[in-house]
Amino acid sequence: MNAILLAGAALVGLPVLLHLIMKQEPKRLSFPAYRFLKQKLKTNQRKLRLRHFILLALRMLIIALFTLTLYQPSLKSDQFNIRGEQPVAAVIVIDTSPSMGYAPDKLSRLDEARQRAIELLNDLPDRSPVAVLDTADLSAVWLQDTGAAQRRIEDLKETRGGGHNVSAAIAAAYQLLAKVDQETDAADPLQKLVAVFTDRTASSWDGTRTEDLKKLREQVPDPKPTHVVFDFGPDQPVNVSILAVEMKPQIVPANQTVTVDVTVGAVGAAGEAIEAVVTPKLTGAAKADSSLAKPVKVVSGQTQRVSFELRNLKPGLNQWEFALSKPDNLAADNVRYLTFKVGAARRILTITDDPKGATFWQVAHLTKEEFDCLVVTPSQIETAEGGQAVVKFAPDPKKPAELVTEDLRSFETVCLLAVNNPNLPAGNTLWDKLRPMLRAGGKLIVIPGRDGWTDPAGYNDVASDLMPGTLGKVIDTRRVTPPPPPQTGSTWEEPREGKNGVTWVLDEKALAQPLLKPIDAWRQQRTERLNVISNPRVTWKFWDVTPAAGATVAVRYRDAEKPEQQHPAVLERSVTDPNDGNKPKGKVVLLTTRMDVGDDRDNWHNYWAQDGSWFVVFPNLLVRYLAGDTEDANFNYPTGATVTVPLPRGKLQRESVVLFEGPPNVIVGNDATIRPGDKQTELRISPPKTNAPGNYALSVRPGATEVWRDGFSLNVPADESNLAKVDVKDVEELVGEGRVIAVTPATKNVSLADLLTTTLGGLIDLFPWLLIAVLGLLVGESFIANRFYRRVR
């Protein structure tokens, strides 16, 4: 269309627009009374709108605040924060001591501790380095993978005795935390957490180490470690325990009744008597002998001892178990183990040129029944293949042609008694045969014979590496000038002249020697053996011996007033092995007077006089010192100890394998076999192989024949049965006040993160405060609404 036509059409409507704009409405006037009512209505409507707005806003605030409360918000603080995003270097310490096996229900304290520890792992921030320590094994490294840490915790299924306490584990934790920033290449210093899961028993906490632990903690770079202790210990434990199984000595002769004392303790309701039955069982037997069982009644908080008599015991190694017939809450102390040995006397070998002259020496040992003395001549000592010396003898005197060959190392002690010249035969002397045995740890007693028979040259320079001294001339105290000083005895009415024989100097220094310590014990106990001091033996003749370098004079004769002028009566010397760094191995004891029986024996001493016990005591004293006292023998140790087991001398070949047996599922795999070295004389068995209680045995079986068997027992320390808790203040002195969380039935369903947040801080939980605010607003809204609507009506 034409533009002019369009513009004209638009202008046609202009008058209409102007008419509408200029149109005037008629003026209306309101009635005065109606105008007042209308104004009042507007005022009321404004008030109503304001009250509606306030009530609406209040209700909206209640809904918003309730929604915020359900969200459970929290605020950050400057304290430790388990729920933050920053990684945390966490050391988890789990107490695996036997007391953690306490199980009043399906789960033991250790089971619950493991569950909580895994829960802690899941709550840690991402990339948090974790180390897991248990009190049986303090070796640990940082694990970046929480899965590896969880597997480590899951493997701690059994309690293990004899390890370390929690205090030692915390010290190890500090050492780890001191280097965590370097070892993990952290960009910023990490927060540090030490989380301990324990039952807080007295044996688990060493209060004497608190100050040392504080110093060790201060060496950890900032920020300092934060601690939390989860206490799983029962407040009112109920338990019956076998605290000890004891017998003495632990080596007994055959066909002897053995008495074993068993100590039983109990905890529970104060003053309440608890009944139990203790049943012995020979390890390996199909079942226990019920006829040996004995009942015992123990008052809570006290102990009771019951004795068992074991008869018809098998020779050799005996291992027993003493168990409560009815298990209770703590399985670790329901059974204790005992090892002892039954058998014939130990054997010693005596080499002499005149077997008849060894009669008194041999009879003295037979009288004591502790040692069986085999007497042979030097010609019966030979060198076997491999360089070891052996002895050939007839075990049955009625069959002298039936000879057996035995390694010299299989004897407890070898004695050279009045051998004329041990440096014979040339090229293969007696010394050459004895030297390997001594360097391997053997024991030798050298007793020279009479003058004119004994050749000092056969003892001196040729055996300078073995002999404790050099033989000189024979001294006769009846012919020396000046004569020896007067000699005294506690039962002698007056001192005797020295020319009538000199006594030993048994002063405090001499009695402190290991050889003579039993005499000191007899003196203190005033036993029947005291006659060795009250009526001492006297010596008239003895060899003048010059001590060798490194030798010790155990006792001297009182043949002079000044100690430096008194001649040695007994000397000893350690034998070293030049092929093994000159380490002390064997030992040689030299007696300077003769002990063989000859025509002139009464001219040397009165040792063999039977008016006292010396004729039996002295030979036994010498041999027992070298071979070891059976009364001191011990085969029973606490768990976690290092046990030393001597290997059989002369019974192991280079290819011999020692079989190691223990409780089921404890000694398995490579631990079940031990290959000792060529020169090894003993086995040292250490943790973790000794962490589990039970009976352990070692044996050598070439083929189907067992040539040697030994063993020992491990028992949980008695203090593990003490379930009383250490004072919480002693723990808080190190970890901080309020940092010990008691894990009780009331907290079982509370998440560990919540427990940590409540205990450690780090986040301020607003939920309870918001909930209070919502309740307050609801009350306020109800009050306002009621007043508003009441006025409206």
Side-chain angles (χ1 to χ4, degrees), residues 527-718:
T527 65
E528 59 182 9
R529 297 173 179 172
L530 192 61
N531 63 76
V532 303
I533 295 178
S534 62
N535 185 22
R537 303 295 89 179
V538 296
T539 305
W540 293 287
K541 294 175 67 175
F542 52 83
W543 286 89
D544 181 11
V545 175
T546 302
T552 301
V553 178
V555 62
R556 296 179 180 273
Y557 296 113
R558 194 182 300 277
D559 61 329
E561 291 288 354
K562 297 181 178 180
E564 61 271 16
Q565 296 177 352
Q566 295 170 347
H567 287 84
V570 182
L571 305 90
E572 66 173 317
R573 177 184 182 180
S574 296
V575 178
T576 61
D577 185 356
N579 299 321
D580 191 16
N582 284 323
K583 292 181 180 179
K585 297 285 187 176
K587 184 168 289 187
V588 179
V589 169
L590 171 63
L591 187 65
T592 61
T593 192
R594 61 186 294 195
M595 294 297 290
D596 61 311
V597 180
D599 294 337
D600 61 342
R601 67 176 184 273
D602 294 333
N603 292 328
W604 283 73
H605 54 71
N606 66 348
Y607 290 3
W608 296 124
Q610 298 184 23
D611 58 344
S613 60
W614 189 246
F615 77 100
V616 173
V617 168
F618 181 49
N620 181 263
L621 201 65
L622 284 173
V623 176
R624 183 191 289 182
Y625 166 63
L626 290 176
D629 193 344
T630 56
E631 293 184 2
D632 297 330
N634 180 44
F635 308 103
N636 299 276
Y637 304 87
T639 50
T642 297
V643 180
T644 301
V645 180
L647 289 169
R649 295 185 294 269
K651 293 185 177 180
L652 292 184
Q653 306 300 322
R654 179 171 297 182
E655 64 278 2
S656 295
V657 175
V658 177
L659 303 181
F660 188 24
E661 307 166 66
N665 302 322
V666 174
I667 305 300
V668 295
N670 294 333
D671 291 340
T673 57
I674 303 174
R675 295 183 180 274
D678 292 343
K679 297 182 179 181
Q680 194 169 343
T681 60
E682 62 185 20
L683 295 175
R684 291 176 61 83
I685 303 173
S686 306
K689 295 180 182 178
T690 60
N691 282 343
N695 286 325
Y696 295 78
L698 301 103
S699 60
V700 175
R701 298 175 182 171
T705 305
E706 183 176 270
V707 298
W708 171 75
R709 187 173 182 83
D710 208 335
F712 56 90
S713 293
L714 297 172
N715 285 293
V716 172

Side-chain angles (χ1 to χ4, degrees), residues 92 94 96 110-111 113-119 121-122 132-134 143 146-160:
I92 297 176
I94 299 181
T96 56
L110 179 59
D111 293 332
R114 289 166 55 237
Q115 289 181 359
R116 286 294 195 173
I118 292 174
E119 188 178 347
L121 282 179
N122 297 330
V132 180
L133 293 171
D134 73 282
L143 304 169
T146 56
Q150 180 169 337
R151 289 190 294 272
R152 172 84 169 87
I153 295 173
E154 289 173 346
D155 288 341
L156 303 177
K157 297 178 181 179
E158 302 291 339
T159 60
R160 294 182 282 181

Side-chain angles (χ1 to χ4, degrees), residues 185-329:
D185 297 326
D188 298 313
L190 296 171
Q191 293 187 95
K192 303 175 181 69
L193 172 66
V194 177
V196 180
F197 299 81
T198 180
D199 56 2
R200 215 182 86 212
T201 56
S203 61
S204 69
W205 190 264
D206 185 0
T208 62
R209 295 197 60 180
T210 300
E211 293 303 320
D212 292 336
L213 290 174
K214 288 181 179 179
K215 294 177 182 178
L216 195 59
R217 181 183 60 196
E218 291 304 314
Q219 298 175 12
V220 179
D222 291 333
K224 300 301 181 187
T226 300
H227 305 74
V228 62
V229 177
F230 294 92
D231 173 18
F232 294 88
D235 292 324
Q236 295 180 333
V238 177
N239 182 48
V240 180
S241 56
I242 300 180
L243 299 175
V245 174
E246 302 169 304
M247 66 167 290
K248 197 72 174 178
Q250 294 177 13
I251 297 179
V252 297
N255 303 318
Q256 178 175 313
T257 299
V258 170
T259 300
V260 179
D261 294 324
V262 177
T263 303
V264 181
V267 292
E272 180 180 331
I274 302 176
E275 295 183 357
V277 177
V278 180
T279 304
K281 175 180 177 292
L282 183 66
T283 298
K287 60 180 181 178
D289 186 350
S290 59
S291 64
L292 297 176
K294 287 190 175 183
V296 59
K297 182 180 291 186
V298 190
V299 176
S300 177
Q302 300 182 11
T303 62
Q304 186 70 35
R305 175 172 290 188
V306 58
S307 296
F308 294 84
E309 291 187 348
L310 307 180
R311 296 181 174 85
N312 303 319
L313 298 169
K314 64 177 183 178
L317 190 70
N318 275 256
Q319 296 187 309
W320 287 74
E321 304 169 13
F322 292 81
L324 297 176
S325 58
K326 183 180 179 181
D328 62 0
N329 295 332

Side-chain angles (χ1 to χ4, degrees), residues 43 77 316 432 472 491 517 627 682 708 749:
T43 303
S77 74
D432 294 334
T491 60
K517 252 190 171 180
E682 62 185 20
W708 171 75
N749 295 326

